[in-house]
Structures are given as structure tokens and as C-alpha cells.
Amino acid sequence: MASSSPSPSTHRGQQKCCFHEWMILQEADLSEMLQALTVEDNFGDRDVLLRQLVQKNVEHFQAYADERTRLAQDHVSPFFAPSWCSSLENSLLWLAGCRPSLFITLIYALSGIEIESHIPEFLQGTRTSELSELSLAAPQLSMINQLQRRTIKQEEELSQQLACLQEKIADQPFALIAKESSHVASQNVQADEALDEHSTSMVRILEEADKLRIKTLKEMMNILSPVQAVDFLVAGKKLHLCIHDWGQKRDIKHDYFQV
Amino acid sequence: MASSSPSPSTHRGQQKCCFHEWMILQEADLSEMLQALTVEDNFGDRDVLLRQLVQKNVEHFQAYADERTRLAQDHVSPFFAPSWCSSLENSLLWLAGCRPSLFITLIYALSGIEIESHIPEFLQGTRTSELSELSLAAPQLSMINQLQRRTIKQEEELSQQLACLQEKIADQPFALIAKESSHVASQNVQADEALDEHSTSMVRILEEADKLRIKTLKEMMNILSPVQAVDFLVAGKKLHLCIHDWGQKRDIKHDYFQV
């Protein structure tokens, strides 16, 4: 990801900076999409613009994931509970990010909101036009349902892989190293080597989780119309920014604040 | 949990203090158990002492869980990725603690270490006595195998409940509140109420996870002989203290250190 200011010198600084740049970029992308949605459509040229924005957003997500993977090579574990996020955000993490199935929960929720908001008009017989863009058509619902099943299955597979990796910490060689340690544990070469190997596996699973997040998002974008896709991305980014903000406010309220 | 110094005034301070007291208590319990293992057995009186120590350790674990639950009522999310733990420890967390199935991985690993360490003696025909205490007998292996199956099943059920809770953040009412928010999210009463309700569910799942951890530990203690149980607790505490120490050293090495 491009940065105008010089890179911080510490790993923690670089990782934190990567996240902050990502949040700033999301705000900028959100503004651009909100602006685009107000443009009048002339012979489908708005759809071309919206498609470009969807493409751009997916590319930004990919670039963020690539940058995280690069930084994770040095020290992967902070990404699983970053000190630069609020405790609320960290409690919602699945493999260092959001659950991909959350995209599907959100599109169903948005579609439901859309339908509910028009119920009074239907009841009064004042609504004659079609439902607005976020009301999903039957074929779309079917495709999203299939996507949801696939995504949950892949999520479960990755959760299982993480469980195995987490359990390895109580297996060999860690069990033996700890058993033979003196009362106050001391760093030793063998432990360091085993932890390095463990970290390599954690980087791999982080990459796989990011791949699944991006794949799910791309498939969702292919199912939705351009305006639906942009509406969805807008809602998703708003939700992410809200959770970030709510989490910070709640940590401050409860005297819990990370530096 | 008892504390000789006055309680910190902030939630974060109290939560951090609760964890530090737990780590200090674990070191003290470890010393006491190591000492007890050196006592000579006279007509089974060592077994009585070891049983008392096992009981004491389980009670300490229960008291720690009770104190966490009490503190979690005020602000639960920090327990899911505590800022007072190293990033390595946080990357290994399952529902704010260790996976209960890790106890079983550890006992298998310890038993394996024990058997392997005696192979040369068997090969040389110099070993005539029974294997030492951590070599599990066939009925014990069978019971631990059953315990493992039950534990993994219950772990999966709780993981599933956490997944549902995490997905709720993209559902109603959060989706609507975020959708209707202005560009820069502002705290609102509705969001706060919904997050309070979410927190209550998170406290409940934290309690359930702690119950499963303690239940698994107790069942394991019932399967093992007194000396096996103490050997196991010693190894478990050493492993926990080692991971805590390794994690801190690695965070310092990688310029990643939480305050």
C-alpha cells in the first residue's frame, strides 16, 4: 500500500500503520462510492462507473491482505489480536479478520431492511414500482445461499486447521522443552526454532483466511448488480468503521485503552 | 482471589491484576508440587498429600474463572485478547483461554516422552521395573480417549456458538444502525444497548468455556493416579509459564510490546 509518510522503523509501528492506512483508505473509498451513487444514470454509464469502483475496492482489499502477509513474515501473532484495535474488534476476530460468512449475513440483513421499509407502501397500495436495488431477486438469493454453504464449509475447515495448530503448542517438541525447563522459563534455541516453525504455519493460515475473505467478496460482487454491489460495499464499510468507533468509545468508557 | 495490595481503580487494572495474581499463584503451586514430588512415600501418605494438592490446584483454577466472570460483567471483550498477554499467547487463545482438548494433547505427549526415554533400557534389557508414573495404563488410555472425543465435541459446539455471536454483528440491529449512520460513526443509544446485549452473550459463552476447561481438567484428574495428576499439573504449569515467557521475549525481540 502506498504511503506518503516515511515507514515506521519498528515492526509494531509498520503493522499499526498498515491498519491505519487501510482504515483511511476505506473512508476515502466510502466517500467515493456515496458520491457515485448520487450520479444520474445516462444510458448505463453509471453502471460502468460503479463497476470500476467495485473493482477498485476489491483491489484495495487484496493490496491490504498482501501487505499484511508481507509484514506477518517478521512477526505473525500480533495480527491475531492487534493491540491497535479495540477490544470489541478483537473479540470479533476470526483468523485475524472478519468471518467471510459475515458478508452473507450482511447482505441478507440489508435485503430484509429494504423489504421491511416498503411494507407500509405495499399495505396502502401506494407502491407500484419494483423494490429497490438491495431487494434480492430469487436467482440471486439462490446463488447467495449456495455461496453461504460453501463459505461456512471452508470457514470450518480453516477453523479446524487453526485448532490443530493451537493444540500443537502442547505437543512435541514444546511439551518436552517445557518439561525440562527450570522453574523460571528461559529462552532457548530449541524453543525459538520450534516457535519459528509454528509462526510459518500461522502465516500460511492467515494467508488462506485472507484468500477466503477475498474470494467470498469477489463471488458476492459477481452475484450482485453494480448498484447492489456498491450499496453492499457502502454498508460493509460503514459497519466496519462503526464497530471500530464503537469499540474505541467503549474501551475509553471502561478505562480500557490500548496504546 | 485474595490480594494483599489495594485493588486497582480501573477495569483494565483489575483485569490485568487478576491475571498477574493467577500467574504468581501458578508459580507458587508449581513450587509446592515439585517439593511434594520429592517427599518419600510412607504407607501411602504421599498420595494423600498429592491428592490435596490436586484439589487445591483445581480450586485455584475455579477461583480464577469466578473472578474473571465477575470482572467480565463490566467489560468482557478484553478477555478475548488481553493487552496484558503477549501476542503469542493471544494467537493461541480459544474463547479467552486454552482449548480444553490441549490438556489431552499434553498428557499424550508426556506419556510418549516417558516411553521414549526408556526405550534404550528396554533394548539393552536393563529395565526390569514398571514404566514410571506418566506411562498410561490401557484402561486410562481408553478413558482419556473417550474424554478427548467428548471434549472436542463440546469445544466444537461452543466454537459454533461463538461463530453465531460474531456473525450477529453484521445482522440486525447493527446493520441498520450502521447503514443509517453518517460517514463518521457516532455513538448512539441504540448501538450501546445492542452492544450491551451482545456483551451479555459473550460473558455467557466465556463462562461456558471456563466450565468446560475446569470440567475437562477434573475428569482428567479422576483418571490419573495422584502422582500422575501432579506430574501432569507440573508439566501444564511449566508449559503455561514457558509460553508466557517465550511470548514476551519474542514480542520484545520484534519490537512489539504491549503496555
Side-chain angles (χ1 to χ4, degrees), chain B residues 216-241:
Chain B
T216 310
L217 183 64
K218 279 183 179 171
E219 289 191 37
M220 176 80 93
M221 296 297 98
N222 287 337
I223 295 170
L224 302 178
S225 71
V227 68
Q228 282 176 333
V230 171
D231 267 342
F232 169 80
L233 288 173
V234 162
K237 289 197 187 298
K238 276 188 168 186
L239 183 62
H240 190 185
L241 294 167

PDB file of all heavy atoms in Angstrom, chain B residues 216-241:
ATOM      1  N   THR B 216     -13.089 -30.597  32.122  1.00  0.00           N
ATOM      2  CA  THR B 216     -12.127 -31.490  31.465  1.00  0.00           C
ATOM      3  C   THR B 216     -10.946 -31.780  32.386  1.00  0.00           C
ATOM      4  O   THR B 216     -10.496 -32.920  32.504  1.00  0.00           O
ATOM      5  CB  THR B 216     -11.619 -30.859  30.136  1.00  0.00           C
ATOM      6  OG1 THR B 216     -12.742 -30.431  29.377  1.00  0.00           O
ATOM      7  CG2 THR B 216     -10.806 -31.836  29.319  1.00  0.00           C
ATOM      8  N   LEU B 217     -10.472 -30.725  33.052  1.00  0.00           N
ATOM      9  CA  LEU B 217      -9.349 -30.904  33.982  1.00  0.00           C
ATOM     10  C   LEU B 217      -9.738 -31.851  35.123  1.00  0.00           C
ATOM     11  O   LEU B 217      -8.981 -32.766  35.460  1.00  0.00           O
ATOM     12  CB  LEU B 217      -8.917 -29.537  34.539  1.00  0.00           C
ATOM     13  CG  LEU B 217      -7.700 -29.561  35.472  1.00  0.00           C
ATOM     14  CD1 LEU B 217      -6.449 -30.023  34.732  1.00  0.00           C
ATOM     15  CD2 LEU B 217      -7.451 -28.186  36.098  1.00  0.00           C
ATOM     16  N   LYS B 218     -10.924 -31.655  35.690  1.00  0.00           N
ATOM     17  CA  LYS B 218     -11.374 -32.510  36.800  1.00  0.00           C
ATOM     18  C   LYS B 218     -11.487 -33.966  36.352  1.00  0.00           C
ATOM     19  O   LYS B 218     -11.054 -34.876  37.059  1.00  0.00           O
ATOM     20  CB  LYS B 218     -12.740 -32.027  37.306  1.00  0.00           C
ATOM     21  CG  LYS B 218     -12.679 -30.846  38.254  1.00  0.00           C
ATOM     22  CD  LYS B 218     -14.095 -30.532  38.740  1.00  0.00           C
ATOM     23  CE  LYS B 218     -14.120 -29.380  39.712  1.00  0.00           C
ATOM     24  NZ  LYS B 218     -15.490 -28.953  40.011  1.00  0.00           N
ATOM     25  N   GLU B 219     -12.068 -34.167  35.170  1.00  0.00           N
ATOM     26  CA  GLU B 219     -12.222 -35.554  34.680  1.00  0.00           C
ATOM     27  C   GLU B 219     -10.855 -36.199  34.467  1.00  0.00           C
ATOM     28  O   GLU B 219     -10.647 -37.368  34.759  1.00  0.00           O
ATOM     29  CB  GLU B 219     -13.059 -35.575  33.397  1.00  0.00           C
ATOM     30  CG  GLU B 219     -14.521 -35.256  33.660  1.00  0.00           C
ATOM     31  CD  GLU B 219     -15.413 -35.519  32.460  1.00  0.00           C
ATOM     32  OE1 GLU B 219     -15.185 -36.500  31.724  1.00  0.00           O
ATOM     33  OE2 GLU B 219     -16.347 -34.722  32.233  1.00  0.00           O
ATOM     34  N   MET B 220      -9.928 -35.409  33.952  1.00  0.00           N
ATOM     35  CA  MET B 220      -8.562 -35.904  33.751  1.00  0.00           C
ATOM     36  C   MET B 220      -7.938 -36.291  35.095  1.00  0.00           C
ATOM     37  O   MET B 220      -7.294 -37.342  35.215  1.00  0.00           O
ATOM     38  CB  MET B 220      -7.740 -34.794  33.085  1.00  0.00           C
ATOM     39  CG  MET B 220      -6.291 -35.115  32.904  1.00  0.00           C
ATOM     40  SD  MET B 220      -6.056 -36.145  31.471  1.00  0.00           S
ATOM     41  CE  MET B 220      -5.726 -34.857  30.284  1.00  0.00           C
ATOM     42  N   MET B 221      -8.152 -35.449  36.106  1.00  0.00           N
ATOM     43  CA  MET B 221      -7.593 -35.724  37.438  1.00  0.00           C
ATOM     44  C   MET B 221      -8.154 -37.025  38.008  1.00  0.00           C
ATOM     45  O   MET B 221      -7.464 -37.757  38.707  1.00  0.00           O
ATOM     46  CB  MET B 221      -7.897 -34.557  38.405  1.00  0.00           C
ATOM     47  CG  MET B 221      -7.263 -33.220  38.038  1.00  0.00           C
ATOM     48  SD  MET B 221      -5.465 -33.210  38.053  1.00  0.00           S
ATOM     49  CE  MET B 221      -5.037 -33.448  36.353  1.00  0.00           C
ATOM     50  N   ASN B 222      -9.418 -37.300  37.700  1.00  0.00           N
ATOM     51  CA  ASN B 222     -10.042 -38.535  38.195  1.00  0.00           C
ATOM     52  C   ASN B 222      -9.510 -39.787  37.499  1.00  0.00           C
ATOM     53  O   ASN B 222      -9.557 -40.873  38.051  1.00  0.00           O
ATOM     54  CB  ASN B 222     -11.567 -38.466  38.020  1.00  0.00           C
ATOM     55  CG  ASN B 222     -12.191 -37.508  39.012  1.00  0.00           C
ATOM     56  OD1 ASN B 222     -11.613 -37.229  40.062  1.00  0.00           O
ATOM     57  ND2 ASN B 222     -13.356 -36.984  38.678  1.00  0.00           N
ATOM     58  N   ILE B 223      -9.026 -39.605  36.272  1.00  0.00           N
ATOM     59  CA  ILE B 223      -8.497 -40.760  35.528  1.00  0.00           C
ATOM     60  C   ILE B 223      -7.073 -41.093  35.995  1.00  0.00           C
ATOM     61  O   ILE B 223      -6.680 -42.251  36.062  1.00  0.00           O
ATOM     62  CB  ILE B 223      -8.514 -40.477  33.996  1.00  0.00           C
ATOM     63  CG1 ILE B 223      -9.961 -40.333  33.503  1.00  0.00           C
ATOM     64  CG2 ILE B 223      -7.786 -41.570  33.222  1.00  0.00           C
ATOM     65  CD1 ILE B 223     -10.081 -39.807  32.067  1.00  0.00           C
ATOM     66  N   LEU B 224      -6.318 -40.044  36.322  1.00  0.00           N
ATOM     67  CA  LEU B 224      -4.902 -40.234  36.666  1.00  0.00           C
ATOM     68  C   LEU B 224      -4.714 -40.618  38.144  1.00  0.00           C
ATOM     69  O   LEU B 224      -5.537 -40.263  38.986  1.00  0.00           O
ATOM     70  CB  LEU B 224      -4.115 -38.947  36.364  1.00  0.00           C
ATOM     71  CG  LEU B 224      -4.171 -38.426  34.919  1.00  0.00           C
ATOM     72  CD1 LEU B 224      -3.384 -37.116  34.792  1.00  0.00           C
ATOM     73  CD2 LEU B 224      -3.630 -39.450  33.927  1.00  0.00           C
ATOM     74  N   SER B 225      -3.618 -41.291  38.420  1.00  0.00           N
ATOM     75  CA  SER B 225      -3.266 -41.575  39.819  1.00  0.00           C
ATOM     76  C   SER B 225      -2.777 -40.271  40.452  1.00  0.00           C
ATOM     77  O   SER B 225      -2.455 -39.316  39.721  1.00  0.00           O
ATOM     78  CB  SER B 225      -2.150 -42.621  39.854  1.00  0.00           C
ATOM     79  OG  SER B 225      -0.947 -42.020  39.401  1.00  0.00           O
ATOM     80  N   PRO B 226      -2.695 -40.174  41.783  1.00  0.00           N
ATOM     81  CA  PRO B 226      -2.270 -38.895  42.389  1.00  0.00           C
ATOM     82  C   PRO B 226      -0.930 -38.399  41.849  1.00  0.00           C
ATOM     83  O   PRO B 226      -0.785 -37.227  41.518  1.00  0.00           O
ATOM     84  CB  PRO B 226      -2.179 -39.231  43.884  1.00  0.00           C
ATOM     85  CG  PRO B 226      -3.135 -40.352  44.078  1.00  0.00           C
ATOM     86  CD  PRO B 226      -3.103 -41.155  42.824  1.00  0.00           C
ATOM     87  N   VAL B 227       0.047 -39.298  41.726  1.00  0.00           N
ATOM     88  CA  VAL B 227       1.360 -38.826  41.267  1.00  0.00           C
ATOM     89  C   VAL B 227       1.324 -38.459  39.779  1.00  0.00           C
ATOM     90  O   VAL B 227       1.948 -37.478  39.351  1.00  0.00           O
ATOM     91  CB  VAL B 227       2.483 -39.842  41.610  1.00  0.00           C
ATOM     92  CG1 VAL B 227       2.360 -41.110  40.820  1.00  0.00           C
ATOM     93  CG2 VAL B 227       3.857 -39.219  41.412  1.00  0.00           C
ATOM     94  N   GLN B 228       0.547 -39.190  39.001  1.00  0.00           N
ATOM     95  CA  GLN B 228       0.383 -38.834  37.576  1.00  0.00           C
ATOM     96  C   GLN B 228      -0.279 -37.461  37.464  1.00  0.00           C
ATOM     97  O   GLN B 228       0.117 -36.632  36.647  1.00  0.00           O
ATOM     98  CB  GLN B 228      -0.504 -39.861  36.874  1.00  0.00           C
ATOM     99  CG  GLN B 228       0.174 -41.172  36.517  1.00  0.00           C
ATOM    100  CD  GLN B 228      -0.809 -42.167  35.907  1.00  0.00           C
ATOM    101  OE1 GLN B 228      -2.011 -42.129  36.177  1.00  0.00           O
ATOM    102  NE2 GLN B 228      -0.290 -43.072  35.093  1.00  0.00           N
ATOM    103  N   ALA B 229      -1.313 -37.246  38.294  1.00  0.00           N
ATOM    104  CA  ALA B 229      -2.048 -35.974  38.243  1.00  0.00           C
ATOM    105  C   ALA B 229      -1.130 -34.802  38.571  1.00  0.00           C
ATOM    106  O   ALA B 229      -1.155 -33.770  37.887  1.00  0.00           O
ATOM    107  CB  ALA B 229      -3.225 -36.024  39.209  1.00  0.00           C
ATOM    108  N   VAL B 230      -0.301 -34.989  39.589  1.00  0.00           N
ATOM    109  CA  VAL B 230       0.614 -33.896  39.972  1.00  0.00           C
ATOM    110  C   VAL B 230       1.684 -33.706  38.885  1.00  0.00           C
ATOM    111  O   VAL B 230       2.019 -32.570  38.529  1.00  0.00           O
ATOM    112  CB  VAL B 230       1.224 -34.139  41.375  1.00  0.00           C
ATOM    113  CG1 VAL B 230       2.327 -33.137  41.675  1.00  0.00           C
ATOM    114  CG2 VAL B 230       0.134 -34.045  42.437  1.00  0.00           C
ATOM    115  N   ASP B 231       2.190 -34.818  38.347  1.00  0.00           N
ATOM    116  CA  ASP B 231       3.154 -34.715  37.239  1.00  0.00           C
ATOM    117  C   ASP B 231       2.554 -33.932  36.072  1.00  0.00           C
ATOM    118  O   ASP B 231       3.211 -33.092  35.458  1.00  0.00           O
ATOM    119  CB  ASP B 231       3.551 -36.123  36.749  1.00  0.00           C
ATOM    120  CG  ASP B 231       4.807 -36.636  37.449  1.00  0.00           C
ATOM    121  OD1 ASP B 231       5.537 -35.820  38.035  1.00  0.00           O
ATOM    122  OD2 ASP B 231       5.047 -37.860  37.406  1.00  0.00           O
ATOM    123  N   PHE B 232       1.295 -34.233  35.792  1.00  0.00           N
ATOM    124  CA  PHE B 232       0.606 -33.559  34.688  1.00  0.00           C
ATOM    125  C   PHE B 232       0.432 -32.069  34.983  1.00  0.00           C
ATOM    126  O   PHE B 232       0.705 -31.219  34.131  1.00  0.00           O
ATOM    127  CB  PHE B 232      -0.765 -34.212  34.446  1.00  0.00           C
ATOM    128  CG  PHE B 232      -1.644 -33.420  33.526  1.00  0.00           C
ATOM    129  CD1 PHE B 232      -1.462 -33.494  32.151  1.00  0.00           C
ATOM    130  CD2 PHE B 232      -2.635 -32.578  34.021  1.00  0.00           C
ATOM    131  CE1 PHE B 232      -2.265 -32.738  31.293  1.00  0.00           C
ATOM    132  CE2 PHE B 232      -3.431 -31.822  33.172  1.00  0.00           C
ATOM    133  CZ  PHE B 232      -3.245 -31.910  31.810  1.00  0.00           C
ATOM    134  N   LEU B 233      -0.013 -31.752  36.191  1.00  0.00           N
ATOM    135  CA  LEU B 233      -0.207 -30.329  36.558  1.00  0.00           C
ATOM    136  C   LEU B 233       1.110 -29.568  36.517  1.00  0.00           C
ATOM    137  O   LEU B 233       1.164 -28.421  36.079  1.00  0.00           O
ATOM    138  CB  LEU B 233      -0.844 -30.224  37.953  1.00  0.00           C
ATOM    139  CG  LEU B 233      -2.318 -30.625  38.065  1.00  0.00           C
ATOM    140  CD1 LEU B 233      -2.771 -30.630  39.522  1.00  0.00           C
ATOM    141  CD2 LEU B 233      -3.218 -29.685  37.262  1.00  0.00           C
ATOM    142  N   VAL B 234       2.176 -30.226  36.984  1.00  0.00           N
ATOM    143  CA  VAL B 234       3.505 -29.600  36.950  1.00  0.00           C
ATOM    144  C   VAL B 234       3.879 -29.272  35.496  1.00  0.00           C
ATOM    145  O   VAL B 234       4.286 -28.151  35.180  1.00  0.00           O
ATOM    146  CB  VAL B 234       4.563 -30.538  37.592  1.00  0.00           C
ATOM    147  CG1 VAL B 234       5.978 -30.135  37.181  1.00  0.00           C
ATOM    148  CG2 VAL B 234       4.440 -30.500  39.114  1.00  0.00           C
ATOM    149  N   ALA B 235       3.703 -30.255  34.608  1.00  0.00           N
ATOM    150  CA  ALA B 235       4.061 -30.037  33.204  1.00  0.00           C
ATOM    151  C   ALA B 235       3.188 -28.954  32.577  1.00  0.00           C
ATOM    152  O   ALA B 235       3.675 -28.106  31.812  1.00  0.00           O
ATOM    153  CB  ALA B 235       3.910 -31.348  32.424  1.00  0.00           C
ATOM    154  N   GLY B 236       1.897 -28.956  32.914  1.00  0.00           N
ATOM    155  CA  GLY B 236       0.970 -27.955  32.367  1.00  0.00           C
ATOM    156  C   GLY B 236       1.344 -26.550  32.811  1.00  0.00           C
ATOM    157  O   GLY B 236       1.355 -25.619  32.001  1.00  0.00           O
ATOM    158  N   LYS B 237       1.654 -26.418  34.081  1.00  0.00           N
ATOM    159  CA  LYS B 237       2.011 -25.086  34.594  1.00  0.00           C
ATOM    160  C   LYS B 237       3.348 -24.624  34.013  1.00  0.00           C
ATOM    161  O   LYS B 237       3.512 -23.455  33.667  1.00  0.00           O
ATOM    162  CB  LYS B 237       2.060 -25.089  36.125  1.00  0.00           C
ATOM    163  CG  LYS B 237       0.655 -25.209  36.694  1.00  0.00           C
ATOM    164  CD  LYS B 237       0.513 -24.836  38.124  1.00  0.00           C
ATOM    165  CE  LYS B 237      -0.905 -25.171  38.606  1.00  0.00           C
ATOM    166  NZ  LYS B 237      -1.961 -24.432  37.901  1.00  0.00           N
ATOM    167  N   LYS B 238       4.287 -25.558  33.909  1.00  0.00           N
ATOM    168  CA  LYS B 238       5.586 -25.198  33.297  1.00  0.00           C
ATOM    169  C   LYS B 238       5.362 -24.728  31.862  1.00  0.00           C
ATOM    170  O   LYS B 238       5.945 -23.734  31.414  1.00  0.00           O
ATOM    171  CB  LYS B 238       6.509 -26.417  33.289  1.00  0.00           C
ATOM    172  CG  LYS B 238       7.260 -26.619  34.589  1.00  0.00           C
ATOM    173  CD  LYS B 238       8.280 -27.723  34.403  1.00  0.00           C
ATOM    174  CE  LYS B 238       9.268 -27.806  35.549  1.00  0.00           C
ATOM    175  NZ  LYS B 238      10.319 -28.783  35.295  1.00  0.00           N
ATOM    176  N   LEU B 239       4.511 -25.455  31.129  1.00  0.00           N
ATOM    177  CA  LEU B 239       4.246 -25.085  29.732  1.00  0.00           C
ATOM    178  C   LEU B 239       3.610 -23.694  29.653  1.00  0.00           C
ATOM    179  O   LEU B 239       4.022 -22.864  28.836  1.00  0.00           O
ATOM    180  CB  LEU B 239       3.335 -26.134  29.079  1.00  0.00           C
ATOM    181  CG  LEU B 239       3.020 -25.921  27.597  1.00  0.00           C
ATOM    182  CD1 LEU B 239       4.282 -25.969  26.740  1.00  0.00           C
ATOM    183  CD2 LEU B 239       2.018 -26.964  27.090  1.00  0.00           C
ATOM    184  N   HIS B 240       2.627 -23.445  30.511  1.00  0.00           N
ATOM    185  CA  HIS B 240       1.964 -22.141  30.514  1.00  0.00           C
ATOM    186  C   HIS B 240       2.966 -21.025  30.818  1.00  0.00           C
ATOM    187  O   HIS B 240       3.018 -20.001  30.123  1.00  0.00           O
ATOM    188  CB  HIS B 240       0.824 -22.148  31.538  1.00  0.00           C
ATOM    189  CG  HIS B 240      -0.064 -20.936  31.450  1.00  0.00           C
ATOM    190  ND1 HIS B 240      -1.081 -20.682  32.312  1.00  0.00           N
ATOM    191  CD2 HIS B 240      -0.060 -19.884  30.584  1.00  0.00           C
ATOM    192  CE1 HIS B 240      -1.669 -19.546  32.004  1.00  0.00           C
ATOM    193  NE2 HIS B 240      -1.064 -19.038  30.959  1.00  0.00           N
ATOM    194  N   LEU B 241       3.792 -21.240  31.859  1.00  0.00           N
ATOM    195  CA  LEU B 241       4.780 -20.222  32.230  1.00  0.00           C
ATOM    196  C   LEU B 241       5.815 -20.021  31.125  1.00  0.00           C
ATOM    197  O   LEU B 241       6.244 -18.908  30.842  1.00  0.00           O
ATOM    198  CB  LEU B 241       5.457 -20.591  33.561  1.00  0.00           C
ATOM    199  CG  LEU B 241       4.525 -20.577  34.788  1.00  0.00           C
ATOM    200  CD1 LEU B 241       5.174 -21.256  35.991  1.00  0.00           C
ATOM    201  CD2 LEU B 241       4.125 -19.146  35.166  1.00  0.00           C
TER     202      LEU B 241
END
